[in-house]
C-alpha cells in the first residue's frame, strides 16, 4: 500500500503543528500556488466542475504514460480558500504516482486542523476536490 506523497505529508504536518490562529493565514499563502491554465486549456476542455465548491471550480487529473499524475485546476481569484485547497494539492501532489495520490486520506483537511479554522461548507468543498481527483485517477487506471 502506497503512502501519500512526502511533500503533501510535510504540508499536513506543518498545518497540524501550527497554532490555530495561524492556520488560516498559512492556508491563504497557498492560494497563489496554482499555476495558470496552459495556453489553449482556457476552454476548460476535459475539466470537471466541482459543484460542492461555492465558486466555479474546475479540475482535471491526468495519469501520464510514466504513471505520475498531472493536476490542472481552474478557480477564480475571488475564492482564496478554495484556491488554497487546490494550491496545497498542486504542490503536495507534484510528481506523485497515481498510487500515492490514491493513498491520500479523504479526511486530509481535517488532519491539517482546518476544520477548526474554516467553515464546514468550505472543508466539504476541499474534500470534494480531492475526491473527484482520486475518482478521475481511478477511472484512468481502469
Amino acid at each position: 500500500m502506497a503512502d501519500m506523497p512526502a511533500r503533501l505529508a510535510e504540508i499536513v504536518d506543518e498545518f497540524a503543528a501550527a497554532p490555530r490562529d495561524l492556520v488560516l493565514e498559512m492556508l491563504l499563502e497557498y492560494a497563489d500556488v496554482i499555476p495558470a491554465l496552459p495556453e489553449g486549456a482556457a476552454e476548460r476542455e476535459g475539466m470537471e466542475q466541482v459543484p460542492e465548491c461555492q465558486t466555479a471550480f474546475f479540475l482535471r487529473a491526468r495519469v501520464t504514460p510514466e504513471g505520475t499524475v498531472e493536476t490542472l485546476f481552474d478557480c477564480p481569484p475571488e475564492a482564496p480558500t478554495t484556491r488554497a485547497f487546490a494550491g496545497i494539492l498542486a504542490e503536495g501532489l507534484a510528481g506523485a504516482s497515481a498510487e500515492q495520490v490514491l493513498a491520500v486520506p479523504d479526511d486530509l483537511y481535517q488532519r491539517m486542523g482546518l476544520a477548526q479554522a474554516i467553515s464546514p461548507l468550505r472543508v466539504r468543498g476541499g474534500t470534494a476536490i480531492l475526491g473527484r481527483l482520486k475518482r478521475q485517477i481511478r477511472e484512468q487506471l481502469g
Side-chain angles (χ1 to χ4, degrees):
M1 182 70 195
D3 290 324
M4 73 169 130
R7 177 64 191 127
L8 187 59
E10 277 170 29
I11 295 172
V12 172
D13 290 345
E14 282 165 22
F15 273 87
R20 294 301 85 189
D21 54 345
L22 284 183
V23 166
L24 190 57
E25 207 176 302
M26 285 169 60
L27 179 66
L28 294 177
E29 285 175 13
Y30 281 92
D32 300 327
V33 171
I34 317 180
L37 285 180
E39 285 302 314
E43 298 305 301
R44 295 175 172 156
E45 187 188 341
M47 296 183 82
E48 178 178 4
Q49 184 163 8
V50 182
E52 292 87 347
C53 291
Q54 291 156 287
T55 43
F57 185 95
F58 293 82
L59 62 83
R60 190 175 83 208
R62 189 174 86 84
V63 180
T64 67
E66 297 75 41
T68 58
V69 172
E70 285 176 356
T71 56
L72 204 56
F73 299 106
D74 185 27
C75 180
E78 62 272 16
T81 313
T82 309
R83 283 183 69 85
F85 284 140
I88 286 168
L89 293 175
E91 182 169 318
L93 302 178
S97 71
E99 288 72 25
Q100 286 176 310
V101 177
L102 293 177
V104 174
D106 293 329
D107 63 349
L108 179 72
Y109 300 113
Q110 284 84 345
R111 291 184 186 209
M112 291 170 67
L114 293 179
Q116 290 81 29
I118 58 176
S119 73
L121 204 61
R122 289 219 161 89
V123 173
R124 198 156 59 238
T127 302
I129 293 169
L130 178 61
R132 280 172 193 271
L133 267 188
K134 288 167 72 170
R135 199 205 69 239
Q136 287 188 12
I137 292 166
R138 274 194 294 271
E139 285 173 0
Q140 290 173 60
L141 293 177

